[in-house]
């Protein structure tokens, strides 16, 4: 038995390492932005690339969490793609201050705004507003990507929302600093100028509502872009910008000096003690996650490799066992963990509870635990590997909908910060109950082993197959067993693509895909970030309180 377990562990470990190798390879590709030739053109102008700017700006040797690295993956291919959504963004430290950084990537269509670019910028502003975090904009953009202007310009969550957020953030007292390090055109000109302070790089930075060609066409005036909206014009004549700098590095140095003098912030007061590593080796996680996503495993073993000293104080251990709830610490921070138990367990009533399924008793337990954490001001961490809620007459008669609604209500109304890690499956209403993107986690990350969909692949494929076969037969077409087999393969391939974590990351359903060993860092930096925003709202779940 031990030998069989070792073989399975090694097989799981090999699969995870292959997935991580693929993750690193994909990241290296998107890190090239618009490609080497486009990068060379930026360097020829004396400009740093977006990632180079961030690397220079943040404190040396400090941590950084990139958000949305895989945004746009596989999208807009008719236009040559949009690596990372044309923006590099994340959470880092500048002069010791934790902050949000957003940098346009001018190697991707001159930094033009695609629909996904706006979504990414709005997500970064959302993180800033939720956590009352200072934000730095490194602006270098040609403005809206005109072939897709109808998908980015007029709607509520489109381009204009960014400037609305600038104004709201200013009223909230959130520090916004902008550096104009390249083009800043048309509506995009409002973003840096609605920030608290705006600086511009001489000769490479420019800002205007309309460039020289449009000015010529509109009013017949002959003027060059530098005279129209360069650093000298805006620092010495218009007064639009506050500081002029000779090059990128001196501009970034100036931002560091500003952040060096920012006053301290009011803290939410989440509990933290000295950091302790897990007693069990976190690298063993690689061998504990099964290759087959429907195979059971013990989630407690995963938790022990994520928390300080591998100490997990479980709540209602023998009740509602398909969800694990308990208190622990991650890098010293007190956390409440809600996790799907993936092994098959037997309740005291003698009922078998299958891994990854939410039952009435587990939903009830989780709701009560979430309420307790809100009462004690303890941040929540959700570890998702869920196939959904239990179905069938016994569950319906037992009130699964009522208990599920109680859990969803508790998650939705929770006022402490929530962080979600999708470890494996994330299916249907289970995604919602376990704090999916729709339930406002401060950060939501996926491991390479994640699958996100309305239901599991085999069930969905067979359902879709029966629908498609019925439609074809209704049109008078004969379907042979071979045709049905080929059709099923086509459906499964398409469905598998759509359930991939990369598909989710491309659309910002998750903030990123991470190595399991980065989980502690993400949660720790996330709670540090959330600590900037004192809780001002009382926890109340309304009619489902009892």
């Amino acid at each position: 038995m031990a030998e069989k377990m070792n073989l399975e562990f090694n097989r799981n470990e090999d699969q995870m390492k292959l997935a991580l190798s693929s993750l690193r390879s994909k990241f290296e590709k998107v890190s090239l932005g618009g490609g080497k030739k486009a990068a060379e053109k930026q360097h020829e102008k004396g400009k740093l690339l977006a990632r180079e700017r961030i690397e220079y700006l943040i404190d040396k040797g400090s941590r950084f969490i990139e958000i949305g690295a895989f945004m746009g993956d596989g999208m807009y291919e008719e236009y040559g793609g949009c690596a990372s959504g044309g923006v590099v963004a994340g959470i880092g430290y500048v002069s010791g201050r934790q902050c949000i950084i957003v940098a346009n990537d001018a190697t991707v269509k001159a930094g033009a705004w695609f629909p996904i670019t706006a979504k990414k910028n709005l997500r970064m502003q959302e993180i800033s507003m939720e956590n009352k975090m200072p934000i730095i904009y490194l602006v270098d953009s040609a403005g809206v990507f005109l072939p897709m202007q109808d998908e980015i310009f007029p709607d509520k969550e489109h381009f204009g929302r960014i400037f609305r957020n600038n104004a709201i953030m200013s009223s909230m007292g959130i520090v916004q600093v902008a550096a104009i390090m390249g083009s800043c055109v048309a509506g995009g000109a409002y973003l840096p100028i609605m920030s608290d302070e705006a600086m511009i790089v001489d000769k490479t930075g420019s800002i205007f509502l309309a460039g020289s060609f449009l000015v010529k066409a509109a009013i017949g005036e002959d003027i060059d872009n530098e005279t129209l909206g360069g650093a000298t014009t805006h620092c010495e004549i218009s007064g639009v910008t506050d500081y002029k700098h000779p090059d990128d590095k001196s501009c970034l140095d100036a931002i560091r000096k500003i952040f060096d003098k920012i006053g301290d912030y009011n803290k939410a007061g989440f509990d933290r003690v000295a950091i302790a590593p897990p007693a069990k080796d976190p690298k063993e996680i690689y061998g504990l996650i099964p290759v087959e996503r429907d195979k059971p495993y013990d989630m407690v073993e995963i938790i022990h490799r994520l928390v300080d000293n591998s100490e997990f104080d479980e709540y209602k251990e023998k009740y509602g066992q398909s969800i694990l709830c308990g208190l622990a610490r991650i890098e010293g921070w007190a956390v409440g963990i809600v996790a799907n138990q993936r092994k098959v367990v037997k309740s005291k009533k003698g009922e078998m509870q299958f891994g990854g399924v939410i039952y009435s008793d587990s939903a009830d337990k989780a709701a009560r635990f979430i309420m307790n954490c809100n009462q004690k001001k303890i941040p929540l961490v959700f570890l998702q590997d869920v196939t959904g809620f239990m179905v069938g007459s016994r569950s319906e008669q037992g009130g699964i909908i009522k208990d599920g609604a109680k859990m969803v209500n508790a998650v939705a109304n929770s006022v402490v910060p929530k962080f979600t890690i999708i470890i494996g499956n994330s299916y249907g209403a289970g995604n919602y109950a376990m704090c999916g993107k729709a339930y406002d986690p401060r950060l939501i990350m996926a491991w390479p082993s994640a699958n996100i969909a309305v239901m599991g692949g085999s069930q969905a494929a067979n359902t879709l197959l029966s629908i498609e076969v019925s439609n074809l037969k209704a049109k008078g077409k004969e379907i042979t067993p071979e045709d049905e087999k080929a059709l099923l393969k086509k459906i499964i391939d398409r469905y598998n693509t759509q359930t991939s974590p990369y598909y989710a990351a491309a659309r910002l359903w998750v903030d990123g895909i991470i190595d399991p060993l980065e989980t502690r860092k993400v949660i720790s930096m996330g709670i540090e970030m959330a600590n900037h925003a004192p809780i001002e709202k009382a926890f109340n779940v309304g009619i489902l309180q009892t």
Side-chain angles (χ1 to χ4, degrees):
M1 178 63 74
E3 185 178 347
K4 183 179 178 182
M5 288 178 66
N6 285 336
L7 285 171
E8 187 173 335
F9 183 96
N10 291 339
R11 179 168 169 260
N12 294 340
E13 185 179 46
D14 289 345
Q15 182 67 27
M16 181 62 83
K17 285 182 175 178
L18 280 171
L20 291 171
S21 176
S22 176
L23 174 64
R24 287 188 290 271
S25 177
K26 283 177 176 286
F27 181 74
E28 286 174 10
K29 184 178 179 182
V30 300
S31 295
L32 295 174
K36 291 183 178 179
K37 286 187 178 178
E40 287 169 3
K41 287 182 179 178
Q42 295 298 306
H43 285 152
E44 285 168 6
K45 295 175 183 177
K47 297 165 66 177
L48 297 173
L49 305 181
R51 280 190 168 81
E52 291 172 344
R53 286 168 176 165
I54 292 175
E55 186 178 357
Y56 184 85
L57 177 63
I58 61 176
D59 298 343
K60 299 297 173 280
S62 65
R63 289 170 153 187
F64 182 75
I65 298 173
E66 183 162 348
I67 302 294
F70 297 104
M71 278 197 77
D73 183 50
M75 300 170 67
Y76 313 122
E77 290 179 348
E78 67 272 34
Y79 300 114
C82 186
S84 297
V87 176
V88 183
I91 304 157
Y93 299 87
V94 174
S95 297
R97 310 279 175 173
Q98 196 181 34
C99 61
I100 307 297
I101 305 170
V102 183
N104 296 112
D105 187 348
T107 70
V108 181
K109 290 285 186 291
W113 288 63
F114 284 71
I116 207 77
T117 314
K119 187 172 185 178
K120 187 168 184 177
N121 276 266
L122 288 169
R123 172 59 177 150
M124 300 315 296
Q125 288 184 322
E126 178 184 46
I127 293 172
S128 176
M129 287 189 283
E130 281 181 331
N131 301 286
K132 293 185 169 59
M133 287 272 288
I135 187 167
I136 298 167
Y137 307 102
L138 306 181
V139 185
D140 194 343
S141 171
V144 167
F145 186 62
L146 287 177
M148 303 190 76
Q149 63 87 26
D150 61 319
E151 296 181 45
I152 187 175
F153 171 62
D155 209 348
K156 182 178 178 181
E157 299 299 328
H158 285 177
F159 196 47
R161 186 78 172 183
I162 292 164
F163 318 132
R164 173 264 188 194
N165 285 352
N166 283 138
I168 298 297
M169 292 160 74
S170 181
S171 72
M172 293 170 67
I174 295 171
V175 172
Q176 300 178 82
V177 175
I180 301 155
M181 310 183 83
S183 297
C184 189
V185 183
Y190 287 103
L191 184 147
I193 306 312
M194 292 186 74
S195 299
D196 302 313
E197 293 182 88
M199 51 197 68
I200 187 168
V201 178
D202 195 20
K203 300 297 185 278
T204 55
S206 59
I207 179 168
F208 34 64
L209 294 180
S212 56
F213 289 112
L214 188 54
V215 167
K216 174 69 174 175
I219 64 172
E221 181 182 3
D222 279 310
I223 190 168
D224 63 88
N225 282 338
E226 183 62 26
T227 306
L228 182 66
T232 299
T233 295
H234 286 309
C235 284
E236 300 179 23
I237 301 173
S238 73
V240 166
T241 51
D242 305 312
Y243 310 98
K244 178 170 72 171
H245 300 286
D247 53 39
D248 281 11
K249 287 185 177 181
S250 60
C251 183
L252 297 169
D253 287 337
I255 295 175
R256 293 182 58 79
K257 289 179 181 178
I258 289 171
F259 269 68
D260 183 53
K261 296 170 181 65
I262 294 175
D264 203 359
Y265 57 90
N266 296 327
K267 296 175 177 63
F270 303 121
D271 186 66
R272 193 179 199 186
V273 299
I275 298 171
K280 294 184 178 180
D281 187 357
K283 290 182 180 177
E284 291 175 353
I285 289 173
Y286 295 166
L288 293 172
I289 300 293
V291 174
E292 295 82 7
R293 297 308 313 121
D294 57 351
K295 200 164 187 176
Y297 63 94
D298 190 354
M299 182 65 84
V300 173
E301 293 300 323
I302 302 295
I303 293 171
H304 282 165
R305 287 158 177 82
L306 293 175
V307 301
D308 292 9
N309 293 315
S310 299
E311 293 176 356
F312 178 57
D313 301 323
E314 198 167 342
Y315 172 77
K316 290 183 181 285
E317 183 179 353
K318 298 299 181 182
Y319 176 74
Q321 295 177 76
S322 74
I323 287 185
L324 298 165
C325 298
L327 300 176
R329 291 189 182 273
I330 292 178
E331 291 201 351
W333 294 105
V335 295
I337 294 176
V338 181
N340 303 110
Q341 175 57 288
R342 283 307 310 247
K343 72 176 184 180
V344 179
V345 295
K346 184 182 283 189
S347 71
K348 285 291 184 182
K349 297 177 183 178
E351 298 169 335
M352 300 305 294
Q353 294 196 347
F354 298 98
V357 180
I358 301 176
Y359 292 78
S360 284
D361 54 359
S362 28
D364 173 68
K365 176 175 83 171
R368 290 175 182 274
F369 179 73
I370 290 165
M371 293 177 194
N372 286 346
C373 286
N374 275 271
Q375 184 78 2
K376 299 182 180 84
K377 203 160 76 171
I378 299 172
L380 287 161
V381 173
F382 292 83
L383 303 178
Q384 283 197 18
D385 194 343
V386 58
T387 53
F389 285 87
M390 191 60 188
V391 296
S393 60
R394 180 182 237 169
S395 292
E396 298 294 357
Q397 292 166 14
I400 185 67
I401 295 175
K402 172 177 64 68
D403 289 320
K406 182 192 285 188
M407 180 178 175
V408 168
N409 193 300
V411 173
N413 284 295
S414 182
V415 296
V416 295
K418 299 167 290 192
F419 302 90
T420 301
I421 308 295
I422 304 177
I423 288 174
N425 300 322
S426 180
Y427 293 157
N431 170 283
Y432 303 156
M434 292 295 293
C435 197
K437 185 68 181 291
Y439 289 78
D440 298 322
R442 300 292 176 99
L443 292 173
I444 177 169
M445 296 288 181
W447 289 1
S449 47
N451 288 314
I452 304 166
V454 73
M455 66 175 72
S458 57
Q459 304 99 304
N462 286 312
T463 302
L464 291 167
L465 177 65
S466 63
I467 293 169
E468 204 148 338
V469 168
S470 296
N471 288 338
L472 291 170
K473 285 181 177 177
K475 293 176 183 176
K477 294 183 180 179
E478 286 189 23
I479 305 296
T480 66
E482 289 76 19
D483 292 336
E484 199 166 309
K485 187 177 179 181
L487 194 55
L488 181 61
K489 183 183 183 305
K490 182 181 176 182
I491 290 169
I492 289 173
D493 288 346
R494 183 177 70 228
Y495 201 81
N496 285 343
T497 297
Q498 292 177 353
T499 61
S500 156
Y502 294 99
Y503 192 89
R507 290 152 182 81
L508 208 58
W509 300 345
V510 295
D511 291 318
I513 305 170
I514 60 170
D515 184 327
L517 300 185
E518 291 184 280
T519 305
R520 281 170 56 83
K521 178 187 85 170
V522 167
I523 294 169
S524 176
M525 283 183 66
I527 298 174
E528 181 186 353
M529 178 177 73
N531 206 33
H532 285 72
I535 297 171
E536 297 170 348
K537 182 182 175 184
F539 176 67
N540 186 347
V541 291
I543 60 169
L544 295 175
Q545 194 165 0
T546 58

